[in-house]
Amino acid sequence: MLQLPKTINWGIIGLGNIAHKFATDLLTIKGAKLYAVASRNQDKADAFAKKYDAITAFDSYEALAKDTNIDAVYIATPHALHKENTLLCLKNGIAVLCEKPFAMNTEEVAEMIALAKEKNVLLMEALWTYFLPHYQYVLNALKEKKFGKLLKLEADFGFYRTFDDKHRLFNKSLGGGSLLDIGIYPIFIALSTLGIPKTIGAKATYFDNGADASCNMEFEYEDTTKAYLKSSLIEDTPTEAIFYCEHGTIKINTMFHAPATVTLMPNEGVNETLDFGYNTIGYNYEVIHFNQLLRDGKTESDIMTFEFSKQLINTLDHVRSLINLQY
């Protein structure tokens, strides 16, 4: 009789909104347990642990990283802390799933990957969209040229929020602004379907504190294919990803980065909308993948590879240079 894999004990560092979503979906996964959580505030950590049935709650990230019962840590702190928190866990031999963006720039990402390789510990950027069934379907449809060659991509992500310079979303020192927080998603769509562009054009608008309010980007490829990408914190946009092909169009409907429907629109024929039957928030898919990597003794994902994470942060750095955005 085969022995079932042991339960993977998870820790969470940083207990904001996204950590709540992650913990909610973690509860749905067999063979995984939220073992420990950490916040700089003990009361906050205790309340989070109670809500999601965690065993331990710490008032410091360092204490969590030293708990030898923990197999993997999800890092959900503000962008500017990702490198520091990742290195802390890797040094203690704990596998790390770090929320996107992996870090603030190419140099930080390189340092994180180098330490993961040195310690031979699993590390992956948590860009959940890559693992969602609807997105995997679209990737396969484009690869198989369901509607022929991809000619043009349009992807946007925008929502309106009242400016608040105390909120991390607008705090430039924490990596706030539209590009790193949500612009990463349209860029991810372009890189994962079209690859690295030949040229990039970008223009941005700014809040008074210097954080970018919106960013419009144009990626051009060798074969004249173009990608038109947009992020915004000052207007609600459709938040769709539309792939225009020779013989039809594939559209990931609103909130393309999260569980969504896909509409197939052939140039000749009837449109069809596909529902993927989601019954979770969607974070469980990346966690299941990560858990399997851990059980298999892998130190790098074959989907969200180090090379892809480097391409993603390199592209973000390139756009930042074009719009003169410095953190």
Side-chain angles (χ1 to χ4, degrees), residues 16-253:
N17 183 50
I18 199 167
H20 282 275
K21 295 178 180 180
F22 182 90
T24 297
D25 277 359
L26 189 61
L27 292 174
T28 71
I29 300 171
K30 292 181 180 179
K33 165 73 178 172
L34 180 56
Y35 186 88
V37 298
S39 170
R40 297 300 189 192
N41 180 296
Q42 186 67 58
D43 290 341
K44 184 176 182 179
D46 289 339
F48 194 102
K50 183 178 180 181
K51 183 173 183 178
Y52 298 104
D53 198 27
I55 303 297
T56 308
F58 295 103
D59 66 356
S60 82
Y61 304 156
E62 293 78 12
L64 183 147
K66 290 177 182 177
D67 189 327
T68 56
N69 294 302
I70 298 171
D71 303 304
V73 167
Y74 174 62
I75 292 174
T77 50
H79 311 330
L81 300 177
H82 285 182
K83 186 195 82 165
E84 173 188 332
N85 300 152
T86 294
L87 296 182
L88 171 67
C89 294
L90 292 175
K91 286 174 182 176
N92 283 277
I94 301 176
V96 174
L97 178 64
C98 180
E99 187 51 48
K100 62 79 197 162
F102 223 179
M104 294 291 286
N105 54 51
T106 298
E107 290 73 26
E108 290 190 352
V109 168
E111 188 176 345
M112 291 157 62
I113 291 172
L115 185 61
K117 289 181 176 180
E118 177 189 329
K119 296 291 186 180
N120 202 35
V121 176
L122 175 62
L123 170 66
M124 189 182 92
E125 183 175 6
L127 212 161
W128 65 318
T129 308
Y130 223 155
F131 303 90
L132 294 173
H134 78 272
Y135 194 66
Q136 284 293 318
Y137 172 87
V138 170
L139 286 175
N140 190 59
L142 292 170
K143 182 180 178 181
E144 294 184 348
K145 293 185 168 53
K146 183 177 182 67
F147 290 143
K149 183 180 180 295
L150 177 57
L151 304 175
K152 183 177 71 170
L153 164 65
E154 293 177 355
D156 67 276
F157 194 155
F159 56 86
Y160 173 78
R161 287 290 185 276
T162 302
F163 180 78
D164 177 3
D165 59 6
K166 294 181 177 61
H167 192 287
R168 67 137 200 105
L169 188 62
F170 304 97
N171 188 329
K172 191 178 173 187
S173 66
L174 295 178
S178 81
L179 182 64
L180 275 190
D181 207 74
I182 56 178
I184 188 173
Y185 284 111
I187 290 175
F188 157 75
I189 294 289
L191 291 181
S192 60
T193 57
L194 288 166
I196 301 171
K198 179 180 66 174
T199 61
I200 295 177
K203 292 182 179 180
T205 63
Y206 296 90
F207 295 112
D208 289 343
N209 70 346
D212 62 299
S214 67
C215 186
N216 285 274
M217 296 159 278
E218 182 178 320
F219 289 9
E220 188 170 343
Y221 293 83
E222 294 288 352
D223 56 3
T224 72
T225 302
K226 290 186 179 182
Y228 299 93
L229 314 172
K230 178 177 182 175
S231 61
S232 177
L233 296 175
I234 54 177
E235 65 172 318
D236 295 321
T237 71
T239 309
E240 299 170 333
I242 307 173
F243 305 87
Y244 298 92
C245 304
E246 291 174 298
H247 309 301
T249 299
I250 301 172
K251 182 172 78 165
I252 306 179
N253 296 305

